Amino acid sequence: MKNRTNKILELLTKENKIEVSLLSEILGVSQVTVRKDLDELESKGIIKREHGFALLRSMDDINGRIAYHYEVKREIAQRAAALIPNGTTVMIESGSCCALLADALTVLKKDLTIITNSAFIANYIRGKSNFQIVLLGGIYQQDAQVMVGPMIRQCVENFYVDSFFIGTDGYSSKVGFTNRDQMRAQAVRDMASQAEEVIVLTESEKFSKHGIVPLNLKDQVKKVITDDHIDSITIEELEKRQIQVITI
């Protein structure tokens, strides 16, 4: 079922709206089975239903983004968690891989402080650990459950950390890592200025896409953690930019 729901989310990410009958045909299962899968996704608030159709609630909805390629993202998160020593302070940006990193840390690490602009992450790990969570202030984007705007810079200037973990909406050989939202991209830049290194967590498929807003992180990105489907040309390009590529 995980494979089917992941395929459904993949199709909805591309099309935004799709007929139940077409999903049944593509997936090779009955419409009754498809409706059961859609019921589960709807109960989690990831999709909504119209007569004969399924729709993605929002491209920015964090619950849907976590469910999409969940197992791969979880492995990326666990690999990233291994880089973080106990008792340290890390900065984590909003994003699905980043949320799963925060969750992995509650199991694998002790006595951390997490600085984040993600209200979702703060709530996602609430009660799971004794971590101190610093939630940066700003304008609240409801679908992504993230804080953005000029207050981010004012808040984050009170900190300086070794590692800042971010996600990405895509990558371009011309401009590097990208985002599709200007305000979230600016929040990443502001947070990155207060970190020794930036570490990108992303599935390999993002390297075949790009958002419209360059993150403009220059040489701040030091590591990329992704799955082993990343192509050799991209690895070589990243390594020429002095970026270490870690694959799961």
Side-chain angles (χ1 to χ4, degrees), residues 230-244:
I230 183 172
D231 65 86
S232 59
I233 294 174
T234 302
I235 292 175
E236 183 178 350
E237 183 178 305
L238 291 168
E239 289 177 343
K240 283 182 179 178
R241 296 185 178 189
Q242 306 301 307
I243 298 172
Q244 179 186 1

Side-chain angles (χ1 to χ4, degrees), residues 142-172:
Q142 294 190 37
D143 283 343
Q145 299 182 51
V146 62
M147 315 301 281
V148 296
M151 282 183 63
I152 291 290
R153 185 168 188 83
Q154 296 171 23
C155 291
V156 81
E157 283 177 347
N158 294 291
F159 305 97
Y160 192 78
V161 300
D162 289 333
S163 300
F164 174 35
F165 294 87
I166 71 170
T168 184
D169 289 330
Y171 175 82
S172 164

Side-chain angles (χ1 to χ4, degrees), residues 163-182:
S163 300
F164 174 35
F165 294 87
I166 71 170
T168 184
D169 289 330
Y171 175 82
S172 164
S173 58
K174 291 183 178 180
V175 300
F177 294 99
T178 62
N179 200 301
R180 63 172 176 265
D181 183 282
Q182 178 62 61

